[in-house]
Amino acid sequence: MWNSWSSQHDSRLEQRKICGLLNKLNVTNFDSVSTKLIERLTDCGRRGCAEIIEAFAVSIALRAVEDTQRSSLYAYLCKRVDRELEMEDRRWTWLNDGTRQLSHPSFASILIEACESRFTQALDEQAPHLFPLIEFIGDLLLDGVLPIADVQDLVQQLFSLAEQGQEGSAIALSRLCRRVAREQEGMHILEQLGASGSIERVLEEDIITPKARYLLMAVVDLFHQELVDVFDSAALRNEIYNLDDDEQEVSSELDSTLTDVDDLPPSKTTTCESEDQVEISKLDAE
C-alpha cells in the first residue's frame, strides 16, 4: 500500500520554510509559530528526513548565540519540539505493537551534539560566543531538555581550564551558574553538576586572574546565600577587577540585592542574616 510519508521530499525547500518561521518567532506569536514548526518537523520525521531536524538543531544553537535576547525563548521552543517529537515516536511504537525500532536519534541528543560542536570550536578559537552558548545550555538544563549527565563533560572541561588559569573558562562558569541559579530548581542542578566544590578548588589556585576570582567568589556567595561587599561603589569594584560590561552585571545584581534586602521574604532569612543585612544597609546609607 502506498504511503504518502515515503514520497520524495525537497530538503532545501523545507529548511527554508523552517528558517522563515524561526525568523518570525517572538514572545507574542510563540504558540502559533512553534505549532507550525513542530508540524513541519514532525512531518520530516515521518518522511525519514533526519537531516532537516539536524539542521534545525544546528540553527537553533547558532541563533541562541547570535540573538541572546531570545535565548530563553529558543530553549523553550526546544522543550516543545523535543516533547512533541518524542510523543510522535511513541505513537509509532504503539501503532506497531511495540516492535518498531527507532531509526533516528532523539531531538535532545541531536541538540547536545550541535551544542558540543560549537562549544569545542569556541574553546579552540577562544571565541566570545562561548559565553552566550553556555547560557543557552543553562536554559536548556532549566527547561529539562538536556539531561545533566549530557553536559557534565562540558562543565568539567571548563573547570579544568579554569584551574589552569584560563580566564574565559572561569567567566563561562560564572555565566552558567548565575543563569541556572535564577530558577528555584537551579541550585539542585548546580549541586548535581558538583559546581560548588569545583569552584572552590579553582579558587585555591594562585594563577587565576583577579577578575576570574571575583566572578567565581560571587557564585560561591550564591551557594551560601551570603552578601559580602567591601566596595563603596560599583564603579570602584569594576575598576579594580577590570570587569567588562557583561561582567558588570554581577556588580549590578549585588548592588540591587544589597539595596533591596528589606524586601526579602522573612521566611528565607535567618536572624543573623537579618542583622548583617541591616548593618550593610547602614553602611550603604552612610
Side-chain angles (χ1 to χ4, degrees):
M1 177 176 162
W2 179 80
N3 191 335
S4 63
W5 293 352
S6 63
S7 60
Q8 291 185 352
H9 201 58
D10 190 331
S11 176
R12 288 178 295 180
L13 176 60
E14 192 62 37
Q15 287 184 38
R16 286 198 295 269
K17 291 179 178 178
I18 290 175
C19 182
L21 287 171
L22 281 174
N23 290 338
K24 298 177 181 178
L25 185 70
N26 57 48
V27 175
T28 305
N29 64 17
F30 179 83
D31 288 337
S32 61
V33 173
S34 62
T35 297
K36 292 178 181 178
L37 279 166
I38 289 170
E39 289 174 351
R40 291 195 171 279
L41 291 170
T42 300
D43 184 60
C44 291
R46 291 170 178 172
R47 295 172 182 268
C49 300
E51 72 278 3
I52 296 179
I53 298 177
E54 292 173 2
F56 171 76
V58 171
S59 177
I60 283 289
L62 177 61
R63 287 169 182 265
V65 168
E66 296 182 343
D67 186 6
T68 57
Q69 295 299 319
R70 291 195 285 184
S71 175
S72 297
L73 193 64
Y74 290 134
Y76 189 66
L77 173 62
C78 290
K79 179 179 181 178
R80 283 203 59 186
V81 170
D82 184 53
R83 181 179 59 197
E84 294 297 329
L85 292 183
E86 183 179 356
M87 290 177 61
E88 175 69 9
D89 284 336
R90 290 178 179 177
R91 282 192 288 267
W92 266 92
T93 303
W94 180 79
L95 288 172
N96 289 273
D97 299 324
T99 59
R100 177 177 179 267
Q101 297 296 321
L102 296 180
S103 59
H104 57 83
S106 67
F107 175 73
S109 63
I110 295 174
L111 183 62
I112 188 60
E113 286 184 6
C115 290
E116 286 176 346
S117 176
R118 297 200 66 81
F119 178 85
T120 301
Q121 179 185 4
L123 284 183
D124 292 342
E125 300 175 359
Q126 297 186 352
H129 68 248
L130 171 64
F131 304 145
L133 174 63
I134 205 69
E135 289 180 334
F136 177 58
I137 292 174
D139 289 331
L140 293 173
L141 283 170
L142 287 173
D143 285 332
V145 181
L146 299 183
I148 294 175
D150 285 355
V151 302
Q152 190 81 50
D153 288 344
L154 302 185
V155 175
Q156 289 305 316
Q157 285 186 59
L158 291 176
F159 278 124
S160 297
L161 293 172
E163 286 186 47
Q164 298 170 22
Q166 288 199 15
E167 184 178 86
S169 296
I171 295 174
L173 286 169
S174 170
R175 294 283 193 91
L176 174 65
C177 293
R178 283 159 46 205
R179 189 74 158 212
V180 174
R182 290 176 179 177
E183 301 294 335
Q184 185 174 2
E185 68 274 19
M187 298 308 294
H188 176 65
I189 292 175
L190 294 177
E191 287 176 2
Q192 289 188 288
L193 286 171
S196 178
S198 296
I199 288 176
E200 290 181 354
R201 285 194 295 274
V202 174
L203 290 172
E204 292 175 357
E205 301 294 333
D206 296 330
I207 60 176
I208 64 175
T209 66
K211 180 196 291 188
R213 186 175 299 278
Y214 170 75
L215 293 174
L216 292 179
M217 287 179 67
V219 173
V220 172
D221 290 343
L222 288 177
F223 287 108
H224 299 289
Q225 296 183 349
E226 297 174 355
L227 302 175
V228 181
D229 194 12
V230 298
F231 295 97
D232 295 330
S233 68
L236 178 59
R237 184 191 311 114
N238 297 338
E239 179 181 354
I240 290 179
Y241 284 106
N242 190 30
L243 301 182
D244 300 327
D245 291 340
D246 293 333
E247 282 75 46
Q248 288 178 19
E249 180 183 347
V250 180
S251 297
S252 300
E253 290 174 357
L254 183 57
D255 289 337
S256 63
T257 306
L258 292 171
T259 304
D260 300 334
V261 289
D262 293 333
D263 296 331
L264 292 175
S267 60
K268 295 183 180 180
T269 308
T270 65
T271 303
C272 292
E273 288 172 341
S274 298
E275 293 174 353
D276 291 341
Q277 290 166 1
V278 170
E279 293 300 320
I280 292 173
S281 298
K282 290 179 181 178
L283 291 173
D284 289 342
E286 294 174 359

